[in-house]
Amino acid sequence: MRLLLQQRPDGREAPRFVQLQLQPDLLGGWELLRESGQIGGRSTLRRDLYADQTSALSALESARDAQLKRGFQLVFAQGADAPK
C-alpha cells in the first residue's frame, strides 16, 4: 500500500511531499516507510516496524491524518485496501 501527499506550490519554491508505504517484512512483521522532502531535492526516509498489519495500518492512517492537517493533499493512493 502506498500513499503520496503533496503541498500546493506557492510559486517561491518547489512543493514538499510525503510518501507513506506499508509493506510486509521478511520476518512476518510490517514496515511503515515514510519518505519526505522537497520535490526535485533531497528527501528523508524513516522506517517504523510493527508486529502486525492492524497496528501498522493504524500508524499509516494517523500519519496520513497528521499530514492532511498540515495542509498536504492526497494525490495518489495504491493498494486494494488503501485508505482514502
Side-chain angles (χ1 to χ4, degrees):
M1 178 180 321
R2 187 177 133 207
L3 302 176
L4 178 64
L5 298 104
Q6 182 177 334
Q7 284 184 330
R8 284 200 174 157
D10 63 0
R12 295 186 306 248
E13 58 185 38
R16 299 192 58 78
F17 75 93
V18 173
Q19 178 174 250
L20 303 170
Q21 190 170 358
L22 190 62
Q23 61 189 24
D25 67 7
L26 297 174
L27 302 174
W30 286 81
E31 293 181 328
L32 174 58
L33 302 172
R34 303 174 196 218
E35 183 180 9
S36 62
Q38 199 167 19
I39 293 178
R42 290 187 170 200
S43 65
T44 303
L45 181 64
R46 189 172 121 194
R47 183 176 73 175
D48 298 320
L49 302 174
Y50 297 92
D52 58 14
Q53 185 180 14
T54 305
S55 59
L57 186 58
S58 176
L60 178 124
E61 290 172 346
S62 63
R64 178 207 56 205
D65 293 344
Q67 295 304 322
L68 290 173
K69 286 181 183 177
R70 292 183 63 209
F72 283 79
Q73 296 178 337
L74 183 64
V75 295
F76 180 78
Q78 179 183 29
D81 52 355
K84 305 277 189 245

